[in-house]
Amino acid sequence: MSDDLKPTYTKKGEAFERDMDYIGDRILAGDSSADPDDAAYGGRADVRVWPVEPGRYRLVAAPACPWANRSLIVRHLLGLEDVISVGLPGPTHDKRSWTFDRDPGGVDPVLGIERLQQAYFNRFPDYPKGITVPAMVEVESVAVVTNDFPWITHDLFFEWKEFHCEGAPDLWPPDLREEMEAVMKRIFTEVNNGVYRCGFAGSQETYDAAYERLWTAMDWLEERLATRRYLMGDAITEADVRLFTTLVRFDAVYHGHFKCNRNKLTEMPNLWGYARDLFQTPGFGETVDFEQIKAHYYVVHTDINPTGIIPAGPDPAVWETAHGRESI
């Protein structure tokens, strides 16, 4: 990879700040959101509405990426596999971002493109921002619809209900909504994004502050999960999906690569049991590819792992061991 194509993630002397300005279009079942609490969740009035239509869209979601992993899990939990197809970019890329290098001929078999970047440029020829996953792409036009990852999973639940499988979980229970929103906000700012704030810190001071925030939140989660099987009680919700994709990457990547090394996930009994419980639940573990996860972080992040060496461990077999959470 030439130096001008190497992506960079750290800025010397600066704290990491995630750009959350995504393509805000929505795929809705009607003219407005089916979620009665949409306004409270931060709905935007300036977005284009696309219709729910089986077969019209392809979810492009790299298994390596935690934000994309969320959408793969929710698609599976809700039984939408035959309604929304999926494209799976490989784990390594340059500044131009995600490629379909693991598909035959290096081309997505449905979209017919080599890089997800092409779908962005088909919609926005001068798209100035990062090419991110997950992304919903319209199959016919091969143009990106949205890459706004929190809304993608939200809308898979609320807008595609007509096509959910029998017995699909209630990922957004109304009676828990207010508390769940607060839990998810803390998980995102302090844990999902907190590991990146540690890993991409540009100074000792910003790293130290990020590290303290992360472990304060991890200890809060360890305590919360001492008395409940899942984050919101006795059933899986969207909050669990959002936390899981960070936890499943923790020991393999974030502990060492991102310097989140106070202790391993396996050394936190409640979080470790909880994470294995989810991993062994249909819809979770089968979306996890540790080989791709490690390849992405250790190869792509050249500014924090310049050798590109991928560690051999840890052994993924530990995820299949008994978790003992059934009685909580």
Side-chain angles (χ1 to χ4, degrees):
M1 187 190 307
S2 63
D3 288 343
D4 60 338
L5 289 178
K6 286 183 178 180
T8 56
Y9 298 90
T10 60
K11 294 182 179 179
K12 188 173 182 179
E14 297 184 20
F16 171 71
E17 296 293 338
R18 184 173 299 280
D19 182 357
M20 290 295 291
D21 184 18
Y22 293 98
I23 302 167
D25 287 10
R26 303 277 297 281
I27 300 172
L28 303 182
D31 294 332
S32 59
S33 175
D35 175 8
D37 293 331
D38 206 349
Y41 189 62
R44 291 163 52 177
D46 60 338
V47 303
R48 175 179 170 183
V49 172
W50 300 67
V52 165
E53 186 179 317
R56 180 167 178 172
Y57 309 101
R58 187 160 175 83
L59 171 64
V60 178
C65 170
W67 320 106
N69 197 173
R70 288 184 185 184
S71 62
L72 293 173
I73 293 169
V74 170
R75 173 179 173 268
H76 187 114
L77 291 175
L78 301 178
L80 294 172
E81 292 95 330
D82 295 333
V83 179
I84 303 170
S85 68
V86 69
L88 302 172
T92 59
H93 59 74
D94 56 26
K95 277 186 177 179
R96 294 168 294 179
S97 199
W98 305 95
T99 67
F100 298 97
D101 55 292
R102 297 199 172 193
D103 285 311
V107 173
D108 180 88
V110 171
L111 300 176
I113 56 178
E114 297 178 349
R115 293 179 178 275
L116 178 58
Q117 184 185 57
Q118 293 168 260
Y120 277 69
F121 288 170
N122 286 342
R123 176 91 186 276
F124 305 105
D126 299 317
Y127 189 74
K129 302 173 75 65
I131 309 300
T132 62
V133 289
M136 295 290 280
V137 177
E138 185 182 39
V139 173
E140 183 177 1
S141 65
V142 193
V144 66
V145 172
T146 180
N147 64 345
D148 202 341
F149 66 88
W151 284 106
I152 287 175
T153 53
H154 170 279
D155 289 346
L156 288 179
F157 178 77
F158 284 100
E159 307 300 329
W160 293 82
K161 276 195 173 181
E162 179 184 351
F163 305 100
H164 289 183
C165 64
E166 184 177 353
D170 184 358
L171 297 178
W172 293 80
D175 59 323
L176 298 175
R177 182 67 178 267
E178 184 176 357
E179 182 187 3
M180 191 174 83
E181 296 278 9
V183 168
M184 292 194 301
K185 181 177 181 180
R186 187 171 183 184
I187 287 170
F188 171 71
T189 59
E190 305 304 299
V191 180
N192 299 147
N193 204 38
V195 292
Y196 284 87
R197 199 180 294 113
C198 290
F200 295 156
S203 70
Q204 187 68 51
E205 292 74 19
T206 58
Y207 165 75
D208 290 343
Y211 181 93
E212 181 66 27
R213 287 177 61 179
L214 169 66
W215 286 106
T216 297
M218 291 288 280
D219 287 339
W220 162 68
L221 288 165
E222 177 73 3
E223 182 178 356
R224 183 180 181 90
L225 289 164
T227 56
R228 61 189 81 198
R229 184 171 181 180
Y230 305 111
L231 284 170
M232 304 309 302
D234 59 1
I236 291 169
T237 65
E238 171 89 6
D240 298 297
V241 176
R242 295 185 178 197
L243 177 57
F244 172 79
T245 59
T246 296
L247 296 184
V248 80
R249 289 161 173 76
F250 200 89
D251 287 1
V253 175
Y254 303 141
H255 178 270
H257 183 58
F258 276 0
K259 307 178 183 69
C260 302
N261 62 349
R262 190 193 75 178
N263 53 258
K264 296 177 181 177
L265 181 67
T266 56
E267 297 165 346
M268 303 187 79
N270 298 326
L271 273 168
W272 175 226
Y274 162 82
R276 279 177 292 158
D277 189 1
L278 290 176
F279 185 89
Q280 294 167 32
T281 298
F284 286 83
E286 56 263 57
T287 70
V288 175
D289 187 321
F290 287 109
E291 180 268 325
Q292 292 201 47
I293 288 169
K294 291 193 294 183
H296 171 68
Y297 285 92
Y298 288 102
V299 172
V300 173
H301 299 162
T302 56
D303 48 346
I304 57 176
N305 187 42
T307 66
I309 293 172
I310 303 170
D315 184 353
V318 296
W319 285 90
E320 300 290 353
T321 58
H323 53 75
R325 298 284 295 178
E326 296 92 345
S327 59
I328 294 178

